[in-house]
């Protein structure tokens, strides 16, 4: 068992820094409210180190202070990569040899989400972090639907393209929009297609919890820092592996 405490100025001193916004105009009372909130969060003592007005009636705060909480790393739950990380050459070779056709992928940002940076990083040839996107893989047929795609349009395009996998990026998270949109998407695919005919449903974005796949009705969740190579390797593992 490994027990750790936060590190601030010295090892194990329990010091942390948090930021938040309160719906209060910036004045002494607002600063006192920020410190009170930090105290209720378990920070004692709490030092207000930054306060800035954020428009009419809102203030952004940064508070630094000590907490007494301990973390048992043996009880931390994460989703470990359970598939081999393949090269582009290996991915193409496996698809060509085992699937004997191009693997079809449809990607989109659904709902009102207009932030295509995530889906483009995975799908577009230029890719991210020195890795080329899925369009670079000659054995992948990629359809990028872009932003603000409705769930019915996504389902119809996936059907028309005979998609093996559907990739959805969600960056907008206000009022848990990413969760609502993902549940609506998975429900629509379950209604429109029988279990054996449905594509893999994969979602990604900075605010997703990778442990929520079953709850959201998807096959895989990828968090921040995911690369195209990881996604392509997963597709081969999940689809070609299932075809054994």
């Amino acid at each position: 068992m490994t027990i750790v405490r936060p590190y601030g100025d010295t090892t194990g001193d329990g010091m942390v820094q948090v930021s938040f916004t309160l719906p209060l105009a910036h004045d002494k009372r607002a600063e006192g409210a920020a410190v009170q909130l930090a105290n209720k969060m378990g920070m004692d003592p709490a030092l207000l180190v930054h306060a800035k007005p954020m428009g009419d009636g809102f203030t952004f705060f940064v508070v630094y202070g000590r907490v007494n909480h301990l973390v048992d790393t043996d009880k931390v739950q994460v989703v470990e990569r359970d598939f081999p990380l393949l090269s582009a050459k290996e991915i193409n070779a496996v698809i060509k040899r085992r699937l004997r056709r191009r693997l079809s992928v449809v990607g989109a940002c659904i709902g009102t989400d207009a932030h295509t940076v995530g889906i483009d990083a995975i799908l577009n040839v230029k890719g991210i972090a020195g890795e080329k996107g899925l369009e670079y893989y000659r054995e992948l047929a990629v359809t990028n639907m872009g932003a603000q795609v409705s769930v019915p349009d996504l389902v119809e395009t996936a059907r028309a393209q005979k998609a093996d996998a559907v990739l959805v990026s969600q960056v907008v998270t206000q009022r848990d929009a990413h969760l609502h949109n993902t549940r609506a998407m998975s429900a629509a695919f379950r209604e429109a297609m029988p279990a054996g005919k449905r594509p893999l449903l994969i979602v990604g974005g900075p605010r997703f919890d990778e442990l929520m796949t079953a709850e959201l009705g998807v096959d895989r969740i990828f968090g921040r820092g995911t690369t195209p190579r990881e996604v392509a390797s997963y597709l081969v593992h999940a689809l070609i592996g299932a075809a054994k």
Side-chain angles (χ1 to χ4, degrees):
M1 180 169 59
T2 302
I3 301 296
V4 297
R5 295 183 67 189
Y7 167 91
D9 299 316
T10 58
T11 301
D13 61 10
M15 300 300 287
V16 299
Q17 180 172 290
V18 298
S19 61
F20 51 84
T21 300
L22 291 179
L24 298 170
H26 183 209
D27 57 18
K28 287 292 185 180
R29 184 175 295 274
E31 293 187 355
V35 172
Q36 182 187 115
L37 175 61
N39 288 150
K40 290 184 175 182
M41 293 169 64
M43 298 176 67
D44 184 23
L47 174 65
L48 180 66
V49 296
H50 179 73
K52 181 179 180 181
M54 298 291 288
D56 187 22
F58 292 87
T59 306
F60 174 76
F61 299 97
V62 177
V63 181
Y64 185 66
R66 179 182 293 109
V67 297
N68 293 315
H69 308 298
L70 303 176
V71 175
D72 181 353
T73 59
D74 291 338
K75 296 181 179 179
V76 175
Q77 292 184 317
V78 296
V79 176
E80 299 283 2
R81 178 165 57 83
D82 56 356
F83 54 90
L85 193 59
L86 305 177
S87 68
K89 183 177 180 180
E90 289 171 328
I91 290 166
N92 285 325
V94 171
I95 295 173
K96 185 174 182 178
R97 183 178 71 253
R98 298 290 306 282
L99 202 58
R100 298 183 180 180
R101 60 171 174 80
R102 298 180 78 193
L103 192 155
S104 176
V105 178
V106 173
C109 298
I110 58 175
T112 59
D113 201 327
H115 299 77
T116 62
V117 60
I119 198 69
D120 287 344
I122 299 300
L123 298 184
N124 287 0
V125 172
K126 64 182 179 181
I128 190 173
E131 290 188 12
K132 294 186 181 298
L134 301 192
E135 291 177 346
Y136 170 75
Y137 295 74
R138 66 175 183 272
E139 297 300 329
L140 295 180
V142 176
T143 302
N144 187 347
M145 297 181 68
Q148 297 181 321
V149 176
S150 72
V151 169
D153 284 348
L154 178 62
V155 172
E156 285 308 307
T157 299
R159 193 198 305 274
Q161 297 297 325
K162 297 181 179 179
D164 296 294
V166 170
L167 275 57
V168 166
S169 172
Q170 292 280 264
V171 175
V172 174
T173 59
Q174 286 87 342
R175 299 181 181 178
D176 288 337
H178 60 309
L179 303 181
H180 299 313
N181 288 341
T182 300
R183 290 190 180 101
M185 175 195 68
S186 61
F189 273 98
R190 286 197 302 271
E191 182 178 346
M193 301 178 184
K197 299 293 184 181
R198 281 197 300 269
L200 281 179
L201 299 181
I202 303 166
V203 296
R207 293 280 296 277
F208 278 107
D209 181 348
E210 293 179 311
L211 296 171
M212 292 181 68
T213 52
E215 181 181 340
L216 296 179
V218 298
D219 297 288
R220 191 81 180 194
I221 296 174
F222 284 107
R224 61 186 179 278
T226 300
T227 66
R229 184 181 169 200
E230 288 180 85
V231 175
S233 295
Y234 170 72
L235 293 178
V236 166
H237 166 77
L239 292 168
I240 311 298
K244 288 182 180 178

